Amino acid sequence: MRTAVPPPPSEVARSSSPAGDKPPPKVALSGKANGLALAVLGVAVAWLAHHLAPAVPMLTIAVVLGIVAAHLPGLRTLVRGSCRAGLSYAGKRLMRLGIVLLGLKLSLDDVLDLGWATVGMVFAVVAATFFGTLWLGRKLGLNGDQPLLIATGYSICGASAIGAVSEASESDERDVATSVALVTLCGTLAIVVLPLLQHPLGLSDAEFGRWAGASVHDVGQVVATAQTAGSGALSDAVLVKLMRVAMLAPLVAAVALSVRARSRSRTAPREAGVDATSTASANQAGTAAGATDATDAAAPAARPSAGPGARRPPLVPLFVLGFLAMVALRSTGWLSGGAIDTADHAQELLLAAALFGLGSAVHLPSLARTGGRVAALGLCSWLVIAGASYAGVLLTT
C-alpha cells in the first residue's frame, strides 16, 4: 500500500497563508500607477497649453484633455482598462486634497471686507441657483445625482464643488463626469460672452467684476473673465467668488447629513425584517430539526449590512473639515506670501489631475442620449445665476 507523501511545508504555508491574496493588490497598485502617470502627463500638457494661451484656464484644458483621451482610438483602451483605477483615484482622492488647499484662498477678513450687503447678495444668488436648478433637473427627469451635481457646480464653484458633493453623496462616476463636462463648457463660454455684455448692460468695471465673481463657475474662469475689465474688477471678482467658495463646506455637510438620513431610513425596515424573521424562526424551533433550526435562525443575523453596524456616511467629510481648517489658518495671518503661492500652485495641479481623471470618465455617446435635457438644464441654470447676480449687483452697489 502506497503511503501518501505530505506536501512540503513551503507549499502548505503558501496555500494556507493569507500571503496568497497579495497578487490582486499588486495588480491594483499597478493599475493605479498607470492611471496616475497618465493624469500627470495630462496635467503637463494642460500646463503647457495654458502658458501658450493664458486666457484659457488650465483646469478647463485638463477636463477637455481627459475627454479627448477617453475617445482617442489608441488611448481609450488604456483609459477604460489598465488606467481606469488610477484615473478614478485621481478624480476622488486628489480632488479632496485640492479642495482642502482651496481653503487657503479665503480668509475671514476678505469676507468682512465685502460688506454684509454683498454677502447677503451672494447667499441669495447661490440659494436661488441651487434650488432652482435642482427643481428643474427633477422636472426634466434627469437620472441619478445629475440634478444635485449640476446645481452644485453652477451655484458654488464649478467642477471642484461637483467633486466635493459627489464624495458626500457617493454619486456614480458617470453622473459626476457628465456634470463636470457641462459646467466646464458653460464656464468656458462665459469667458467669451460676459465681457461682450459689460457695456450693453451698463456695468462699471467694479460692477462687472462682482457680476463675474457671482455668476461664473470656476475660480480660474472668473479670473479669465474679470481680467478683461482691469485689476480693480479682477480683485472684486475674486473676493465675491471666494465668498461663494466658502459656502461649499455647509452645502457638503448638508448633503452628507441627507445621505446619512436616507441610509438610516433604508436600514430601519431591514432591521425590522430581521427581528420579525428571528421571531418566526424561534416560534418554529420545536417543529424542525435542530441543525436546520440553528441555521435558519442564524442566517438573518449573519448579514452585517442589515444591522446597526452598517457603514454610514460621516456627518462632515474630513476634507470639508480640512477646508475649514485651511480657511482658519489663512485668517491667522501666520502664512507668508511664498507659502500661500506654493499652496496655490499645488492646489491647481491637484485639481487639474482630478479633472483630467473626471474628464476621462465622460462617454460622449451616453451623454448624447440625455444631451438635450442636460443642455436645457445647463442653459436655464446659467440664465438664472447670471440674471440673479446681475440684479444683486445693481441692488448692492
Side-chain angles (χ1 to χ4, degrees):
M1 182 176 182
R2 183 176 297 175
T3 304
V5 179
S10 59
E11 291 187 9
V12 174
R14 205 162 36 234
S15 62
S16 60
S17 170
D21 296 330
K22 285 185 178 178
K26 287 181 181 178
V27 172
L29 284 175
S30 176
K32 256 180 206 178
N34 292 338
L36 289 174
L38 183 59
V40 170
L41 178 60
V43 171
V45 175
W47 178 86
L48 179 60
H50 171 65
H51 280 269
L52 293 175
V56 184
M58 187 172 78
L59 300 186
T60 300
I61 299 173
V63 175
V64 173
L65 288 175
I67 296 174
V68 171
H71 295 84
L72 282 179
L75 201 53
R76 66 187 177 193
T77 304
L78 292 175
V79 169
R80 298 174 188 175
S82 61
C83 293
R84 186 69 257 157
L87 292 171
S88 297
Y89 182 90
K92 294 180 179 180
R93 304 295 181 179
L94 298 187
M95 176 68 77
R96 292 179 185 178
L97 293 176
I99 291 169
V100 169
L101 292 179
L102 188 62
L104 289 176
K105 287 181 174 287
L106 183 67
S107 72
L108 297 178
D109 290 338
D110 293 336
V111 176
L112 296 177
D113 287 343
L114 287 174
W116 290 111
T118 302
V119 172
M121 179 269 289
V122 172
F123 180 83
V125 169
V126 168
T129 305
F130 178 80
F131 290 108
T133 304
L134 188 62
W135 175 82
L136 182 60
R138 299 300 184 197
K139 287 294 183 181
L140 290 173
L142 292 183
N143 298 324
D145 287 336
Q146 283 184 355
L148 171 64
L149 298 176
I150 293 171
T152 302
Y154 275 83
S155 60
I156 304 292
C157 56
S160 302
I162 291 173
V165 169
S166 68
E167 289 292 317
S169 60
E170 300 178 349
S171 302
D172 183 82
E173 187 178 25
R174 288 168 296 183
D175 289 344
V176 178
T178 299
S179 304
V180 166
L182 178 65
V183 77
T184 300
L185 173 63
C186 290
T188 303
L189 292 175
I191 298 173
V192 178
V193 174
L194 263 63
L196 299 177
L197 298 177
Q198 178 185 355
H199 296 299
L201 293 176
L203 295 174
S204 66
D205 290 347
E207 289 172 336
F208 176 75
R210 294 194 172 202
W211 185 43
S215 61
V216 181
H217 316 313
D218 185 80
V219 176
Q221 293 164 347
V222 168
V223 171
T225 304
Q227 68 184 359
T228 60
S231 58
L234 178 58
S235 176
D236 282 357
V238 171
L239 284 177
V240 172
K241 177 61 189 176
L242 292 179
M243 182 62 220
R244 288 168 63 194
V245 172
M247 297 183 185
L248 177 62
L251 177 61
V252 173
V255 170
L257 286 172
S258 175
V259 172
R260 188 181 179 90
R262 288 201 305 267
S263 176
R264 188 183 297 115
S265 66
R266 286 195 300 264
T267 303
R270 288 202 301 266
E271 291 177 352
V274 168
D275 293 340
T277 305
S278 301
T279 302
S281 298
N283 291 336
Q284 295 173 359
T287 59
T292 304
D293 291 343
T295 303
D296 291 342
R303 297 172 187 164
S305 60
R311 180 182 178 273
R312 291 174 180 171
L315 287 175
V316 181
L318 287 178
F319 69 89
V320 174
L321 295 178
F323 173 86
L324 295 175
M326 293 300 103
V327 173
L329 180 60
R330 173 67 185 270
S331 302
T332 63
W334 295 342
L335 295 177
S336 65
I340 293 174
D341 289 342
T342 300
D344 184 57
H345 291 310
Q347 170 255 330
E348 190 172 27
L349 293 174
L350 287 169
L351 288 182
L355 293 179
F356 181 88
L358 289 176
S360 70
V362 174
H363 188 236
L364 292 179
S366 299
L367 181 60
R369 285 194 286 270
T370 57
R373 288 175 292 164
V374 171
L377 178 60
L379 178 61
C380 291
S381 185
W382 195 10
L383 293 175
V384 167
I385 195 169
S389 57
Y390 175 69
V393 166
L394 294 183
L395 290 173
T396 56
T397 55

